């Protein structure tokens, strides 16, 4: 499932290719991805328009249009973007496609239909309506803001990290790495964290996400690009902890699997 680092890579990809040229044609191949938004409205808004700028908030990519607000992209479990020129290169599961002046085409690809493509009048209002907390890499999201976000949460630290209404951008995969780097067991209660542990956890949120982006790694792709002392590339069966060499353990909760090292991240 795409997480903050994946969406940051999609943002850079879109910026590199699709900012500027006029959208000559909009093709909606599967209107379900638009939810309740009529395909006709979507096509009318984007045809002849331009992508002027983009911003990412958590796992959402928001593209500012030359007129009429913003295009919003959420990638669900399997979404991505593809840029190509030749129509024959149009990838499978292309749900929405933009054809630009100059011959480039941008496809929003999503095998499963769990993502969403939409329109918004205003980016801030959209973020609010989606109930998203601060973006994990926003410079304004500092240690103080982090402490406020997790204060009094009577849950385990992993589910709090993944709660998009508290902090936007972290999913199941990167929560595991952040907890491994912070040497915290996924079941640690937030209320049990001492000040030093909170500060370390906060520092690792920033460090791990920034490192993933710098390495060009996402949550599903290119995990092998991560540093050698990261746990994520070692999650396959029989994987060994890159720090102590011990076996990596798994823990199932809420339909998701956590990977951790029981020695480096002892049970609280
Ligand atoms: Zn270990």
């Amino acid at each position: 499932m795409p997480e903050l680092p994946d969406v940051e890579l999609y943002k850079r990809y879109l910026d590199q290719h699709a900012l500027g040229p006029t959208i000559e044609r909009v093709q909606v191949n599967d209107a379900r991805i638009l939810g309740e938004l009529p395909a006709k409205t979507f096509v009318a808004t984007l045809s002849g328009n331009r992508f002027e700028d983009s911003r990412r908030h958590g796992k959402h990519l928001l593209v500012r249009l030359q007129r009429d607000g913003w295009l919003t992209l959420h990638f669900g479990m399997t979404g991505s973007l593809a840029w190509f020129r030749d129509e024959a290169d149009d990838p499978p599961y292309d749900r929405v496609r933009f054809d630009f002046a100059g011959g480039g085409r941008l496809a929003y690809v999503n095998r499963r239909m769990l993502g969403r493509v939409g329109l918004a009048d205003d980016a801030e209002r959209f973020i609010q309506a989606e109930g998203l907390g601060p973006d994990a890499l926003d410079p304004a999201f500092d240690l103080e803001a982090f402490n406020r976000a997790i204060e009094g949460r009577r849950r385990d630290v992993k589910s709090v990290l993944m709660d998009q209404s508290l902090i936007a951008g972290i999913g199941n995969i990167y929560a595991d790495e952040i907890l491994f780097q912070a040497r915290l067991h996924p079941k640690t209660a937030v209320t049990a964290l001492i000040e030093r542990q909170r500060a370390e956890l906060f520092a690792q949120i920033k460090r791990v996400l920034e490192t993933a982006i710098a390495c060009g790694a996402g949550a599903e792709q290119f995990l092998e690009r991560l540093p050698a002392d990261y746990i994520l590339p070692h999650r396959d069966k029989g994987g060994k902890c890159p720090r102590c060499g011990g076996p990596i353990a798994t823990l199932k909760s809420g339909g998701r699997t956590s990977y951790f090292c029981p020695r480096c991240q002892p049970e609280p």
Side-chain angles (χ1 to χ4, degrees), residues 181-194:
Q181 296 296 331
R183 314 276 177 250
L184 289 172
H185 189 281
K187 285 281 166 209
T188 309
V190 165
T191 47
L193 296 176
I194 59 171

Side-chain angles (χ1 to χ4, degrees), residues 47-85:
S47 301
N49 214 328
R50 290 171 204 260
F51 294 165
E52 280 208 328
D53 198 5
S54 76
R55 61 178 280 194
R56 185 191 50 66
H57 190 99
K59 304 174 191 175
H60 289 263
L61 179 54
L62 308 174
V63 186
R64 188 159 58 79
L65 305 172
Q66 185 187 34
R67 52 173 170 81
D68 299 331
W70 298 72
L71 168 71
T72 65
L73 302 169
H74 188 263
F75 298 91
M77 301 286 284
T78 55
S80 63
L81 297 176
W83 175 264
F84 53 96
R85 290 191 168 270

Side-chain angles (χ1 to χ4, degrees), residues 180 241 243-246 261 263-264:
F180 176 70
C241 169
R243 185 167 171 266
C244 73
C261 172
R263 269 195 240 167
C264 297

Side-chain angles (χ1 to χ4, degrees), residues 51-218:
F51 294 165
E52 280 208 328
D53 198 5
S54 76
R55 61 178 280 194
R56 185 191 50 66
H57 190 99
K59 304 174 191 175
H60 289 263
L61 179 54
L62 308 174
V63 186
R64 188 159 58 79
L65 305 172
Q66 185 187 34
R67 52 173 170 81
D68 299 331
W70 298 72
L71 168 71
T72 65
L73 302 169
H74 188 263
F75 298 91
M77 301 286 284
T78 55
S80 63
L81 297 176
W83 175 264
F84 53 96
R85 290 191 168 270
D86 193 338
E87 201 148 14
D89 294 331
D90 198 335
Y93 309 110
D94 170 357
R95 308 301 183 183
V96 175
R97 197 180 88 197
F98 307 97
D99 294 352
F100 293 88
R105 305 173 200 270
L106 183 75
Y108 169 89
V109 181
N110 205 336
R111 185 168 53 79
R112 293 170 69 184
M113 297 293 286
L114 294 165
R116 183 56 51 92
V117 175
L119 296 171
D121 294 333
D122 180 82
E124 288 305 326
R125 277 206 301 275
F126 172 81
I127 290 162
Q128 231 174 38
E130 290 287 313
L132 300 173
D135 179 75
L137 285 185
D138 186 338
F141 181 63
D142 57 11
L143 179 59
E144 207 182 312
F146 173 66
N147 279 323
R148 270 201 310 275
I150 67 169
E151 189 70 60
R153 304 285 157 186
R154 301 194 173 278
R155 282 187 280 153
D156 65 74
V157 67
K158 180 157 182 186
S159 69
V160 164
L161 284 182
M162 290 170 55
D163 186 336
Q164 301 302 300
S165 71
L166 300 177
I167 308 164
I170 303 165
N172 188 48
I173 305 291
Y174 278 93
D176 279 355
E177 188 64 63
I178 290 163
L179 291 173
F180 176 70
Q181 296 296 331
R183 314 276 177 250
L184 289 172
H185 189 281
K187 285 281 166 209
T188 309
V190 165
T191 47
L193 296 176
I194 59 171
E195 201 180 331
R196 181 183 55 76
Q197 288 174 312
R198 286 170 173 231
E200 175 63 10
L201 181 57
F202 171 74
Q204 292 299 348
I205 289 173
K206 301 276 186 183
R207 192 178 140 239
V208 165
L209 296 173
E210 280 165 1
T211 301
I213 291 167
C215 296

